[in-house]
Amino acid sequence: MTWAGGPVDGEADDGAPYTGPPPTAPYGAPPRVPGALPGLHPPLPHGAAGPVPWPLGPVPMPPGPHTHLPGPPPGGPPPGGAPPAWGPQGGGPPAWGPQGGGPPAWQPGGGPPPWGHPGWGPPPWALPPPLPHDVPTSFLQMMRTRTWRWWRPLLGLLLFAVVYAVVAVAVVLVGAVGLVTRSTVDLEFADLADPWVLLVTNVSLAVAIPVVWLAWVAAHSMRIGSSSSVLGRLRWDLVRRYVPLALATLGVGIGVQVALGLALDDGLAVAGPTRSFAGLLLVVVLTTPLQSAAEEYVFRGYLSQAIAAWVGRERAGALVAAVITATLFSVAHVPGDFLLFLDRFAFGLAASAVVWLTGGLEAAIVLHAVNNVLVFVLAGALGEGVETDATVTGWAGLLIVVLDVLAMAAFVLLVRRSAARRPPGTRTAAQDLRPWAAAAPR
């Protein structure tokens, strides 16, 4: 018995005619394909059944015909409005129904088997919803599902802006109260060497992660993992794989930057650990990775995905999203001069590159988190006057920025090599509903 071009539920395709009851779609199959992408497939008319996802694998069925076959009969609807071969013939009892008032031949004992009977699938509420993409899709195009509309990213961005502003202001107000109680005057949160100031700053940024998740659920009706990778989750194995690569590249780059800063300024000396260095180190280790991840979820995640979805074409969308988000990322860090803007812009491009190579945010989060943790730890350990790319200007500043860019480029190349040796997966799973739309009655 075949259905939709293949065997049903693991049965062998022996070519035997089907003599059982009419196939049905009892598992809550969608009555239509909402929001079909233009040019791919038209929406199913109201009442037409679609296929039922079955990610659990084939279910063994006992010999003989079965009543729970997922979908319409083979071959599509009968032509010319003729009664279906599997329905009542000439007004009489159906061939698959009771014969002479007795129990149907296909239901021993006259009653349906229980849900736990072998060959019966799980109830509708036990099945996951259909996969949202007809074809495997890249991370930056994940918003272009069957329900894609151009206004959905706008709705998500508006929701993010409003909710995040409220939450972030609440966090900053709580932090300001804490500063007042500690008799600290720095209400501008400018002294990031102060553990409390850094904690409030990092938390005010980290709260962006759940707000991004809210935007995915509310505006796109998709799982929150859609913001992390093509697998619908954060792949921790990739995080562990890329941390050593970031330490080997960014660690060397930042170390050389600090050494050059000390060598180029004869009057600069290492002042030693800052005040409350132990508290600062604890705050950095616990909250800076979350702050870094939040920025990636916003810039290389939702914002890049929205821009790429509007562009539509995969490579063009990735390039446009990378340039725009790198620019916005640099501006958001309020660069004091062109060199600092260029450094942040290059950082944004490097993060977008590893997202493209890996199909998720893991490598970009590692790049961002390792960079920030190393900068804060070194600044706290050596003193506030240590010069980095954020403070050195002129030719010395250009040299340090070049070293910074080279370190980020080395990380991108190592990630590319790692992805070539052990591909992480850069496409989503898909469930093609287009043949069902073509076979649906008009």
Side-chain angles (χ1 to χ4, degrees):
M1 169 60 195
T2 59
W3 167 72
V8 176
D9 290 339
E11 291 186 323
D13 187 8
D14 53 7
Y18 177 61
T19 58
T24 58
Y27 300 138
R32 61 189 180 89
V33 182
L37 294 180
L40 289 184
H41 56 87
L44 291 173
H46 181 70
V52 179
W54 195 253
L56 303 180
V59 177
M61 302 181 73
H66 305 282
T67 58
H68 279 59
L69 296 178
W86 42 264
Q89 308 297 321
W96 43 265
Q99 308 296 323
W106 43 272
Q107 286 188 5
W115 278 111
H117 186 277
W120 285 68
W125 57 85
L127 288 176
L131 297 175
H133 301 101
D134 283 318
V135 296
T137 304
S138 67
F139 176 72
L140 294 179
Q141 294 291 329
M142 286 181 66
M143 289 185 181
R144 294 189 70 91
T145 64
R146 297 187 195 94
T147 58
W148 159 257
R149 294 292 185 272
W150 64 267
W151 48 264
R152 288 186 181 274
L154 285 179
L155 177 62
L157 290 172
L158 178 62
L159 178 65
F160 173 83
V162 173
V163 176
Y164 175 71
V166 173
V167 177
V169 168
V171 171
V172 172
L173 289 178
V174 172
V177 172
L179 288 177
V180 171
T181 58
R182 294 169 65 247
S183 301
T184 304
V185 186
D186 181 23
L187 295 180
E188 295 182 356
F189 296 92
D191 183 13
L192 294 181
D194 185 328
W196 180 257
V197 173
L198 183 61
L199 175 64
V200 174
T201 303
N202 285 350
V203 172
S204 67
L205 294 172
V207 294
I209 297 177
V211 182
V212 169
W213 293 344
L214 175 64
W216 270 102
V217 173
H220 304 274
S221 300
M222 293 184 66
R223 296 168 54 188
I224 62 176
S226 303
S227 60
S228 299
S229 76
V230 292
L231 297 188
R233 59 178 174 81
L234 193 67
R235 298 166 292 184
W236 290 101
D237 57 325
L238 295 187
V239 173
R240 292 188 294 269
R241 187 192 307 178
Y242 296 141
V243 165
L245 305 184
L247 290 173
T249 54
L250 299 184
V252 173
I254 292 175
V256 173
Q257 289 179 33
V258 173
L260 281 178
L262 294 173
L264 294 174
D265 192 339
D266 296 334
L268 183 64
V270 176
T274 60
R275 63 185 187 278
S276 304
F277 175 68
L280 178 67
L281 183 62
L282 182 64
V283 171
V284 168
V285 172
L286 294 181
T287 65
T288 296
L290 294 176
Q291 165 263 321
S292 304
E295 294 187 21
E296 294 307 311
Y297 270 99
V298 173
F299 288 98
R300 259 64 64 179
Y302 195 88
L303 188 56
S304 291
Q305 289 172 307
I307 295 172
W310 280 324
V311 174
R313 297 181 180 274
E314 188 170 302
R315 292 183 178 273
L319 179 60
V320 173
V323 173
I324 293 179
T325 56
T327 303
L328 295 176
F329 177 78
S330 184
V331 171
H333 285 76
V334 194
D337 55 23
F338 177 74
L339 284 179
L340 189 55
F341 173 87
L342 183 63
D343 181 78
R344 301 296 185 264
F345 182 82
F347 185 95
L349 292 182
S352 294
V354 294
V355 168
W356 170 266
L357 291 171
T358 61
L361 295 179
E362 297 86 1
I365 291 174
V366 168
L367 173 69
H368 203 148
V370 169
N371 178 82
N372 287 11
V373 168
L374 290 177
V375 167
F376 279 113
V377 169
L378 285 177
L382 301 180
E384 301 176 4
V386 174
E387 296 180 335
T388 63
D389 60 347
T391 57
V392 179
T393 59
W395 288 105
L398 178 60
L399 178 59
I400 288 180
V401 169
V402 168
L403 290 172
D404 203 14
V405 172
L406 290 177
M408 292 184 291
F411 176 76
V412 173
L413 292 177
L414 288 180
V415 169
R416 180 182 179 183
R417 182 181 179 185
S418 174
R421 295 171 117 185
R422 299 167 59 189
T426 58
R427 299 280 169 173
T428 64
Q431 180 184 20
D432 196 348
L433 297 184
R434 290 172 293 182
W436 290 91
R442 298 292 187 265

